[in-house]
Amino acid sequence: MSAPVGHRPGGAMRASRETWRLAWKDLWHDRRTMAVFVLTVAAIVAPLLLLLGLKNGAITQLRETLVSDPRNLEVIIYGSARLPRAWFAEMAARDDVSFVVPKTRTINASVDVLDAERRLLPSIELLPTGPGDPLLPQGVEIPPDPHRVLVSETLAAQLGLGGGGRDADITAVIKRTLDGERQHARVPLTVIGVVPERHFARAAIFAHPALLVAAEDYRDGTLALGADTPIGADHAAAREEFANARVYARDLDAVAPLAAHLRAADIEVRTQAERIATVQALDRTFTFLFRVVAAIGGIGCALALGGALWVNADRKRRASAMLRLFGFGRLAVAALPVLQAVIVALGGLLLALAVFTVGAGVFDVVLGANLPDGGYVSRLGWGDLLMATAWMLLVAVAAAGAAAWRSARVTPAEGLRDVL
Amino acid sequence: MTSERALSSVGARTGATSGATSGAPLLEVADLQCRRGRGPDAYRVSLPRLRLGAGDVLAVTGASGSGKSTLLEVLGLVAAPLPGARFTWLGAGTPIDLSALWRRDAERGLATLRASGIGFVMQTGGLLPFLTVRENLGINRRLLGLPETDDGLERLVEHLELGPLLGALPARLSVGQQQRASIGRALAHRPALLLADEPTSALDPRLAERVLALLLESAAEAGTAVVLATHEQARVRALGLRELKAETVELDADGTAGAVFSEAAA
């Protein structure tokens, strides 16, 4: 015999289409059982998706915070150094430096502030600034002289400045003890702008470097300050050396080399390198934890689904035997539980995604309030969905293995006997 | 048609053809044997000779446990004959050596031949519980790529009075309705051979007579040969059917118990 009787072109295609159809019809006929299978799968997969979403959300959020926060670009100089004018010129010329401005000793980098109602706010941080300061929002007016300053939103609130705080008059009070006598100087300041909280959270004044130098000189006893003796914008020009500096790298990658360069010059520095490393370590740890939980969930899912399919295949061996008797191949009959597992797994995955969507929405509403604007708590990308689908199909096929083997062992002769 | 009339018409037809093949040769068997079990439990079923023609009706009779079902399994290509048999299918233009197919373990070839050439009616039901009657009727047709329905199938449905039941699932049918649907399913793709294993044993006698008549009429209408296993010898004789009768052999030359099926004289 050259070809089996009844074997026509397209026979395999017809048989496989018919097998899909039978798999679906059988599942649908037993839809309560199918619903239980689908719920079982969804009950295992939905928490995994939520966990993955949370992990992704948290890590992405941390990464974006790192990248978007210019403080992570800062190379902080520890303690007091002796930084000559030439050093600042050299730093400003470097490719990997985006901003550098002289700073005084930390102890002199704060002043007390009197508001319009003459209430005193003690020890407000004083930051030297200049054009290109990465902490300031784009387009903000840079203080052109020592008497005009920017205040942070927090300080503006403490000072009770309304209407954006523009043109409000405040007074900086600088104290010193000279020859055993306590003295103070009042420096009138005009607020020319407010730095939003998301750019700088603490109460602070962004000032022309000359104000800091003048304050330091006053405290050191080398300068007399009064309400009627304005500080010149060129007051710092006479200084040959500064105790500190605000230095910012071009980007995250430039932070470490720049810090290394400064350390090589015996300047003790600190960066947020450990924060970057921490996020990377967290990512690795979370990913590992997720994989362990997902593996346990996946094995559980495969066992639960596999057991149910095995029982189902055993219960339906008469139908399998009849199909064999009618001429369906061993492979087609074995494929039935596999196709059913695939249908159940995809159904379970869809349901789990629906649960995830609701759960992620709840997380974003409840927990998202703690995040800066545009933040999200839970997130799944297309890649994650593809991966989840691929794993789900793999688990389904693995789970159906035993049932397929059981079905494949049914002989057509069993269909003819009524003993089953 | 009343069952009495149905039976008398079947009796007339089968009576006229009993004892000899009527149509083109369909199945030729010589020295066919099949063994079941091992050791002291082994049981051998022998069919020394059989010629079956298109449209023939043959009753296989014998006591319970005599091996009728085993014989049907061999004829239905689901149990392997022992080597040495001549077992040829002649219903497909060129003869097909079934013994050779079994020797080659050609599962697919046997399955395709079963799908296209043979219909089965089981003792009870035999319908797939998750398919409607219509879908059950169509299962072999779909597998063979035949159109969903044709005139022959419509006549069959009408004859078996299945029209109102087509949309129902088997669980909602009575036993008699299930057997009618089962007959419909076995004949829907117009196989050359119908194998029926005690198709009426689960029915009460009046219903059994009616269902048997419908089976034989429908098969005659489709031109399908019938091999019918039954323990009801009296009914077979009343219908004047060709009879293949089991004779129990206590111990044969190998010391194996079994049965030999041979055609009773007309």
Side-chain angles (χ1 to χ4, degrees):
Chain A
M1 187 176 99
S2 57
V5 174
H7 180 70
R8 288 158 217 196
M13 178 98 89
R14 263 199 314 275
S16 76
R17 201 170 51 220
E18 189 58 20
T19 307
W20 268 106
R21 189 185 146 97
L22 290 172
W24 169 247
K25 288 269 177 189
D26 182 28
L27 267 186
W28 185 246
H29 180 242
D30 236 357
R31 46 195 173 273
R32 280 185 210 170
T33 313
M34 172 171 77
V36 172
F37 288 178
V38 168
L39 284 175
T40 306
V41 171
I44 294 168
V45 175
L48 288 179
L49 288 180
L50 276 171
L51 195 61
L52 181 63
L54 281 175
K55 188 217 90 171
N56 284 350
I59 295 298
T60 311
Q61 194 65 49
L62 285 172
R63 275 188 193 285
E64 282 181 7
T65 306
L66 274 186
V67 172
S68 66
D69 186 352
R71 282 175 302 176
N72 296 315
L73 299 175
E74 186 171 13
V75 178
I76 300 162
I77 296 175
Y78 239 174
S80 291
R82 295 166 71 89
L83 306 173
R85 225 161 240 298
W87 182 85
F88 285 93
E90 183 226 327
M91 289 303 284
R94 281 179 69 96
D95 267 355
D96 53 0
V97 172
S98 70
F99 179 74
V100 59
V101 70
K103 201 177 162 186
T104 55
R105 295 193 298 278
T106 309
I107 195 166
N108 293 328
S110 66
V111 292
D112 297 344
V113 175
L114 278 178
D115 66 9
E117 267 122 51
R118 311 200 67 75
R119 283 176 308 181
L120 186 78
L121 297 172
S123 285
I124 300 301
E125 193 173 349
L126 198 56
L127 287 164
T129 187
D133 187 339
L135 290 188
L136 301 183
Q138 294 267 312
V140 77
E141 188 185 350
I142 301 299
D145 61 62
H147 292 283
R148 281 186 281 184
V149 294
L150 297 166
V151 295
S152 69
E153 199 177 338
T154 310
L155 179 60
Q158 287 174 4
L159 291 169
L161 303 182
R166 264 198 81 85
D167 300 327
D169 289 323
I170 57 173
T171 307
V173 179
I174 307 164
K175 294 176 188 155
R176 69 174 176 189
T177 306
L178 193 64
D179 303 329
E181 186 191 347
R182 290 174 155 241
Q183 300 179 341
H184 66 264
R186 294 186 175 191
V187 179
L189 301 175
T190 302
V191 175
I192 59 168
V194 174
V195 180
E197 190 178 357
R198 67 174 182 279
H199 285 268
F200 197 85
R202 298 193 298 272
I205 295 171
F206 288 85
H208 192 283
L211 179 62
L212 281 98
V213 174
E216 189 167 61
D217 289 346
Y218 176 75
R219 282 181 176 129
D220 289 346
T222 60
L223 178 69
L225 272 180
D228 46 356
T229 51
I231 306 161
D234 56 350
H235 178 76
R239 275 281 188 99
E240 279 308 313
E241 233 175 48
F242 297 88
N244 209 321
R246 282 179 62 209
V247 183
Y248 288 79
R250 185 190 62 232
D251 52 35
L252 278 179
D253 290 340
V255 173
L258 181 57
H261 172 75
L262 295 179
R263 285 191 190 106
D266 276 341
I267 301 169
E268 194 180 344
V269 294
R270 195 163 41 114
T271 65
Q272 303 290 5
E274 67 273 26
R275 270 178 79 176
I276 301 167
T278 303
V279 170
Q280 286 166 341
L282 269 179
D283 190 7
R284 279 196 301 274
T285 308
F286 282 171
T287 303
F288 172 72
L289 286 178
F290 172 76
R291 282 186 184 153
V292 170
V293 173
I296 293 169
I299 291 168
C301 188
L303 287 178
L305 190 57
L309 287 166
W310 166 273
V311 170
N312 210 35
D314 205 48
R315 196 158 58 88
K316 291 182 175 159
R317 62 195 191 282
R318 174 91 205 267
S320 302
M322 303 253 292
L323 290 173
R324 292 294 316 277
L325 184 64
F326 297 162
F328 282 80
R330 190 188 296 271
L331 204 63
V333 173
L336 280 174
V338 178
L339 298 181
Q340 291 179 334
V342 165
I343 294 172
V344 165
L346 292 180
L349 183 62
L350 277 180
L351 184 59
L353 279 174
V355 173
F356 168 81
T357 308
V358 174
V362 171
F363 281 166
D364 283 349
V365 168
V366 175
L367 305 174
N370 304 328
L371 294 176
D373 45 355
Y376 40 80
V377 178
S378 185
R379 177 190 236 190
L380 280 186
W382 288 109
D384 298 316
L385 290 183
L386 264 177
M387 193 73 95
T389 311
W391 275 106
M392 215 43 249
L393 291 178
L394 197 72
V395 166
V397 171
W405 180 75
R406 179 73 188 90
S407 295
R409 276 166 42 99
V410 170
T411 64
E414 288 173 71
L416 205 50
R417 282 181 236 133
D418 273 323
V419 290
L420 295 171
Chain B
M1 186 188 285
T2 65
S3 51
E4 287 79 11
R5 272 180 59 206
L7 282 178
S8 62
S9 79
V10 168
R13 188 177 73 82
T14 50
T17 59
S18 72
T21 60
S22 62
L26 174 62
L27 200 61
E28 214 169 72
V29 176
D31 304 321
L32 183 78
Q33 294 193 70
C34 178
R35 185 156 49 197
R36 274 290 148 91
R38 279 156 199 252
D41 295 332
Y43 191 82
R44 194 200 305 258
V45 171
S46 306
L47 180 60
R49 188 179 170 278
L50 176 69
R51 287 173 73 92
L52 201 64
D56 284 2
V57 177
L58 179 72
V60 179
T61 60
S64 198
S66 59
K68 300 190 294 291
S69 294
T70 303
L71 182 64
L72 243 56
E73 284 171 17
V74 181
L75 295 179
L77 314 183
V78 294
L82 290 174
R86 196 147 60 81
F87 187 19
T88 315
W89 180 269
L90 301 158
T94 48
I96 298 169
D97 184 347
L98 299 170
S99 291
L101 273 186
W102 275 111
R103 274 200 305 278
R104 280 194 280 126
D105 203 10
E107 199 176 88
R108 188 160 164 212
L110 291 163
T112 356
L113 186 50
R114 273 203 309 278
S116 63
I118 307 178
F120 297 91
V121 178
M122 273 67 93
Q123 228 171 80
T124 50
L127 298 169
L128 292 166
F130 49 88
L131 298 182
T132 62
V133 169
R134 188 198 310 279
E135 289 163 340
N136 263 294
L137 288 183
I139 190 156
N140 290 82
R141 296 182 68 91
R142 284 194 297 276
L143 195 60
L144 295 169
L146 298 175
E148 194 67 27
T149 188
D150 61 12
D151 287 350
L153 182 54
E154 276 169 23
R155 275 201 305 279
L156 182 66
V157 165
E158 197 184 335
H159 189 71
L160 292 168
E161 293 166 23
L162 292 173
L165 308 176
L166 286 175
L169 288 171
R172 312 200 51 172
L173 306 184
S174 71
V175 184
Q177 288 171 329
Q178 284 191 28
Q179 280 309 74
R180 269 154 49 204
S182 188
I183 293 165
R185 202 218 62 236
L187 290 171
H189 58 300
R190 304 203 144 229
L193 175 64
L194 178 83
L195 297 176
D197 191 4
E198 304 275 8
T200 59
S201 65
L203 307 175
D204 69 65
R206 275 187 63 80
L207 196 55
E209 225 163 73
R210 164 113 179 91
V211 167
L212 183 60
L214 283 173
L215 186 151
L216 295 175
E217 284 164 15
S218 304
E221 162 93 21
T224 299
V226 177
V227 175
L228 171 74
T230 178
H231 63 277
E232 294 174 288
Q233 213 167 22
R235 182 171 290 161
V236 169
R237 297 211 170 133
L239 288 170
L241 301 180
R242 257 175 86 187
E243 187 183 349
L244 198 60
K245 198 178 159 195
E247 264 180 59
T248 318
V249 179
E250 287 304 325
L251 279 178
D252 67 5
D254 306 346
T256 309
V260 177
F261 285 85
S262 46
E263 215 160 325

